[in-house]
Each structure stands twice: as structure tokens, then as C-alpha cells.
Amino acid sequence: MKPRRFAVTAGEPAGIGPDLCLMLAGESQPEILIVIASRDLLIQRAAQLGLDIDVRCVSPDAWPTEACSAGTLYVWDTPLHQPVTAGQLDCNNAPYVLETLTRAARGCLDGHFTGMITAPVHKGVINQAGIPFSGHTEFLAELTDTPQVVMMLATRGLRVALVTTHLPLKDVATAITGDRLQRVTRILHTDLVAKFGIAQPRILVCGLNPHAGEGGHLGREEIDIIEPALAQLRSEGINLTGPLPADTLFTPKHLQHCDAVLAMYHDQGLPVLKYKGFGAAVNVTLGLPIIRTSVDHGTALDLAGSGRIDTGSLAVALETAYEMAHA
């Protein structure tokens, strides 16, 4: 099969994203990877890491037709706004970070790329620059004019999708409405079929409250909101089990019979997944008209330029993007 093009965004320039991208050149790749970053930054960081890499500029006018051999990296040069020192944030480069994401996403929409893989960004420094930014997921949803997206993290043997994402805990219960739960579940079901090739996905649903509300004694959200929403979804043919207490749902007895878990909020589902697969997990944005995967860790400013980083999550992010493209 002819190799396809995938965009890789290098993320926060002072973090480990550029290091991760450079390490892609350590071996030949099965697909054509185009790193969207500053060429000067990559050359500077390669020298700091002691890596001998041929950083080749490419562009939409002349995309490469073959995957890189070991020691070579394709880059769509995107200029920095200010020079970068590894480990030192500079809010002046926030527009550069967003430009790399914009180029990748629009490239996917325009057919230049089959999918995009993202290295970590630093939300705080982007907001410090005066640019409202709550994360890749929300940014890409707006860019692609997608009304509803779903964050899902996955590692080998476990997928966890979220009904709510980056909300204060005090706001979670109010945010979980029947309409929202149904929209998120439909997206999860649809993309498990379309992007992962699972013909009849089995989804386990967490309750919101301890013991899934204990019959209403520990909260009525399960009775008043979650159970009616799930009943409607089951009538549409979606295979759902729950709501189940989260502390018992994440056990082998239940997980061996499911394709994904739907958690009600960020820290209900993700600590379990990261304990199981940290360093070998991937963040997937469901519901987009494009394929997008990401590493599951942050910018690790203290490790930038050190050579002491683990590329396992990036490897899984690449594998997952390739898998989704094949489905």
C-alpha cells in the first residue's frame, strides 16, 4: 500500500515536543510524517541533543511521496515569533503553537493529510498571551466547526471516554444533562464503529455518584438523568451497561466484556487509565471530521533538551492514528 501523509505538530517549543519529533528520525517510518514546526528550532534542539538529523523542508507545493528513512525528518517550516530556550516558556510564541495546529487541521480537511498527531502544548502560557485556550480538543472542534466532540484516552486493553472534560468538580453535576449524555454516547458509538472497526461496540457507563447513587440515597442523577438517557440510547440499538459504580466498573470482571468505558468526568476515568498505561497511552478526539491523536502527557519542561524522555506515548499515538486510518 502506498504510504499516506500524517501531520505531527511539535507542540510547546520550550517543552519536549520538538525532542519527540526529532526522535521519530531514529528509525524509518511506515507512513509519511510531516512535522509542523520551526526548522531552526528542530536543528537547534538536535544539536543540543547530539543528534545528527537531516531536517528537510517540505510544503504543500511539493509533498514527499516516500516515507523518511532513518536519520531524516520532513518539516513544514513554521517560523517562531521569538527564539526558544529549552525549558523556558515565552508567551510570545503562543501564536506559533496555534499556527502549527491550524496548519495540521486544515491540511487534514483539505486532504493533504490522512490524520494529525499532536505533541503537548502548554495551556497556561497560551492563556497568558491573552488567547483563550482550554485545550487541543476544544480548539480543534472550533476550527473544524464541530458542535460536539468527545475526549477519549486509550491504552492497550482499555479505552475511556468522557462526558465532561476540563470542568471544576463543582460544575460537573449541572453539566451532565440527558441531552449531553446522549450526544456524547452516540459519538462514541459511531466512532468506535467507523474509526476503530468495531461492528457492535460494548460500552460500560459509570454512575456519577458513589455507588451509582445507592438507589437515590447518595444522589438522584442516576435515576433522574442517566438511566432515562441510557434507556433511549438502548432503544436505538446501542449496547450499554450501567450506570455502574465506578469503583467496581474498573475491574477485570467488567472490563473484559467491553470495548470502551464512558466516565462522567475527567478524574473519574483517567486516573485508572493512566495507572494502567502511562507512557503507553494516547488521547483521541472523537466526533471530528478528521483523525486526531495525541500523547497523554504534558510538556515536561524540565526534561526538554535532556535526552531523558520516553517516546512510548508518541509511538502509541502514531499506531492509533494509523489504525484509525485503516478502519
Side-chain angles (χ1 to χ4, degrees):
M1 180 182 292
K2 185 177 180 180
R4 298 156 300 185
R5 286 189 301 270
F6 289 82
V8 181
T9 58
E12 166 52 48
I16 63 170
D19 308 47
L20 290 169
C21 292
L22 288 163
M23 289 180 180
L24 289 173
E27 56 187 36
S28 59
Q29 298 292 329
E31 306 285 0
I32 301 169
L33 301 181
I34 310 294
V35 175
I36 304 180
S38 161
R39 181 175 184 268
D40 289 343
L41 169 64
L42 293 174
I43 291 173
Q44 173 191 338
R45 192 66 59 85
Q48 186 172 351
L49 293 167
L51 299 175
D52 183 13
I53 296 173
D54 180 10
V55 181
R56 297 184 184 177
C57 280
V58 297
S59 73
D61 297 328
W63 291 126
T65 57
E66 298 294 334
C68 279
S69 57
T72 303
L73 194 69
Y74 296 137
V75 58
W76 184 2
D77 186 28
T78 307
L80 289 163
H81 288 227
Q82 292 292 330
V84 170
T85 299
Q88 297 182 21
L89 295 170
D90 186 338
C91 63
N92 290 308
N93 280 320
Y96 154 84
V97 173
L98 299 185
E99 176 62 16
T100 65
L101 294 175
T102 300
R103 283 186 168 190
R106 288 184 176 159
C108 289
L109 292 172
D110 294 341
H112 291 291
F113 305 123
T114 301
M116 62 184 286
I117 299 95
T118 58
V121 298
H122 194 288
K123 300 182 186 72
V125 77
I126 296 174
N127 282 283
Q128 185 183 340
I131 304 170
F133 182 84
S134 56
H136 278 111
T137 303
E138 296 82 1
F139 180 83
L140 293 173
E142 182 176 354
L143 193 93
T144 60
D145 196 25
T146 305
Q148 176 79 55
V149 294
V150 175
M151 178 188 290
M152 182 178 81
L153 267 74
T155 190
R156 294 176 181 92
L158 180 62
R159 301 182 184 95
V160 178
L162 304 176
V163 177
T164 63
T165 54
H166 302 122
L167 288 179
L169 192 56
K170 66 181 179 62
D171 297 334
V172 169
T174 303
I176 297 174
T177 63
D179 179 64
R180 182 176 191 149
L181 181 54
Q182 289 182 17
R183 283 185 283 117
V184 168
T185 306
R186 290 186 186 110
I187 291 169
L188 173 59
H189 172 83
T190 297
D191 275 12
L192 287 173
V193 175
K195 293 181 178 176
F196 288 88
I198 302 171
Q200 296 180 313
R202 300 163 300 175
I203 301 169
L204 295 183
V205 182
C206 295
L208 171 65
N209 297 296
H211 300 180
E214 195 77 75
H217 296 290
L218 296 176
R220 291 194 54 86
E221 285 83 1
E222 286 78 10
I223 295 171
D224 295 339
I225 298 170
I226 299 174
E227 290 176 359
L230 298 188
Q232 171 60 39
L233 293 164
R234 289 189 187 101
S235 74
E236 299 170 14
I238 299 177
N239 186 345
L240 301 169
T241 301
L244 297 174
D247 62 345
T248 56
L249 180 154
F250 286 104
T251 58
K253 172 186 174 182
H254 292 291
L255 294 179
Q256 66 182 336
H257 300 298
C258 85
D259 297 298
V261 172
L262 183 62
M264 291 295 130
Y265 56 95
H266 188 279
D267 282 14
Q268 181 183 55
L270 299 194
V272 180
L273 184 133
K274 292 197 174 187
Y275 177 77
K276 176 177 173 61
F278 187 74
V282 58
N283 188 338
V284 183
T285 306
L286 304 178
L288 292 173
I290 63 177
I291 291 170
R292 180 260 169 166
T293 68
S294 179
V295 296
D296 75 334
H297 55 72
T299 53
L301 296 169
D302 57 322
L303 296 177
S306 71
R308 304 190 313 274
I309 63 172
D310 186 340
T311 60
S313 183
L314 178 61
V316 177
L318 290 168
E319 290 170 10
T320 303
Y322 301 159
E323 175 191 351
M324 293 170 70
H326 277 298

